[in-house]
Amino acid sequence: MSQENTYYNRKYKDSLFRFIFNNKEAALSLYNAINDSDYQETDAMEFYTMNDFLYMGMKNDVSCIIQSNMAMYEQQSTWNPNMPLRGILYSARLFSKYIKANKLNIYSEKLIKIPTPQYYVFYNGKKKLGDKVILKLSDAFSALQNEGQFEWTATVLNINKGHNEELLSKCQILKEYVILIDRINENQKKYDSVEEAVENAVSYCIKNNILQDFLTEHKAEVIMSLLTEYD
């Protein structure tokens, strides 16, 4: 998989998920798997991932506009019940960027149209979860809602081994990413150091045609990224 469409920022260490899926073909494959669609036009995609800055101490993994949807994807290896709050902060920044780029007037008497947000979190941590968990922003509200109710959700998809197998079967890149991470986790039970666990897993995947082209081309960067994640 070529990374010529990536928005990889070398000023800080990106997660492997971010590195892989900030690529039009990879992001489109993931989008199609989630939406059960078969969209093929990568030329019409536009990335909106926050890359050149850290926003309130957070960086966004993958955001792109596809078929009038603002697809926002995050990967989490630690459980975080605040993902809905983070998601709404991400979306506010992204929509601000979209409004400015398209010269939209939010004070106009005419209703402006914006992409429909889709916010998914891919979880591969140790907390026991079902295939899908819906986190609601309203659970964080200090007071009960009455009139003018508002809601924002984060859809958490468990991508640990044995979960969401139908989704993984529709997105080969995500499936291979899961195999790599699972291999690292298994290796940690056998090797004394994280370095050995990561390097062995990467070599295994290259040998067995799992993310082979990507790992071969970016092996050193991938290993450094994974070591940072597992530190």
Side-chain angles (χ1 to χ4, degrees):
M1 180 181 65
S2 171
Q3 284 295 115
E4 67 179 65
N5 292 317
T6 193
Y7 288 77
Y8 183 54
N9 189 334
R10 299 172 192 276
K11 292 181 181 179
Y12 49 78
K13 292 292 188 296
D14 280 335
S15 70
L16 180 59
F17 182 91
R18 192 178 199 267
F19 194 4
I20 290 174
F21 286 100
N22 271 285
N23 168 281
K24 286 190 174 184
E25 292 179 359
L28 184 58
S29 176
L30 188 57
Y31 174 86
N32 282 333
I34 290 173
N35 292 279
D36 197 24
S37 58
D38 189 30
Y39 194 59
Q40 301 294 328
E41 298 298 324
T42 58
D43 290 343
M45 292 176 59
E46 186 176 3
F47 276 104
Y48 270 73
T49 305
M50 295 184 286
N51 303 285
D52 298 329
F53 54 88
L54 295 180
Y55 180 56
M56 292 182 67
M58 305 176 296
K59 69 172 182 266
N60 167 242
D61 280 344
V62 182
S63 298
C64 54
I65 296 179
I66 308 174
Q67 289 185 304
S68 297
N69 292 303
M70 179 74 79
M72 293 176 282
Y73 303 141
E74 299 294 316
Q75 177 267 328
Q76 284 285 299
S77 58
T78 55
W79 180 248
N80 187 338
N82 299 305
M83 291 307 295
L85 179 57
R86 288 173 57 179
I88 199 169
L89 293 174
Y90 292 147
S91 65
R93 183 69 186 184
L94 295 172
F95 281 124
S96 177
K97 182 178 178 180
Y98 176 85
I99 289 167
K100 183 177 180 180
N102 291 276
K103 300 179 179 179
L104 300 177
N105 180 10
I106 62 174
Y107 301 102
S108 170
E109 293 183 0
K110 180 181 178 180
L111 179 67
I112 63 172
K113 293 291 185 176
I114 58 174
T116 302
Q118 296 184 349
Y119 185 51
Y120 287 89
V121 179
F122 298 89
Y123 178 75
N124 57 1
K126 295 181 180 180
K127 184 179 176 68
K128 299 297 183 182
L129 298 178
D131 281 0
K132 182 167 72 172
V133 177
I134 306 295
L135 299 179
K136 298 188 295 183
L137 181 64
S138 61
D139 288 338
F141 293 168
S142 298
L144 295 177
Q145 296 185 90
N146 292 311
E147 295 183 3
Q149 293 186 356
F150 176 81
E151 189 61 272
W152 176 272
T153 60
T155 301
V156 181
L157 300 177
N158 188 350
I159 56 172
N160 281 300
K161 187 176 181 180
H163 292 275
N164 279 303
E165 293 182 350
E166 182 178 355
L167 173 67
L168 297 181
S169 70
K170 294 177 181 179
C171 183
Q172 186 64 25
I173 299 171
L174 182 62
K175 181 178 181 179
E176 293 180 14
Y177 165 80
V178 168
I179 292 172
L180 171 59
I181 299 302
D182 182 65
R183 188 76 183 186
I184 294 172
N185 292 336
E186 289 299 315
N187 281 352
Q188 288 188 290
K189 301 174 184 177
K190 300 186 297 182
Y191 293 99
D192 294 330
S193 69
V194 175
E195 288 85 352
E196 288 180 289
V198 168
E199 290 177 4
N200 178 275
V202 170
S203 296
Y204 169 87
C205 288
I206 292 174
K207 183 178 179 179
N208 289 276
N209 197 28
I210 299 165
L211 292 176
Q212 186 181 67
D213 293 342
F214 175 79
L215 292 177
T216 301
E217 183 178 356
H218 303 284
K219 185 176 181 179
E221 291 168 301
V222 167
I223 289 174
M224 286 301 297
S225 176
L226 287 167
L227 290 176
T228 301
E229 289 186 62
Y230 280 86
D231 185 359

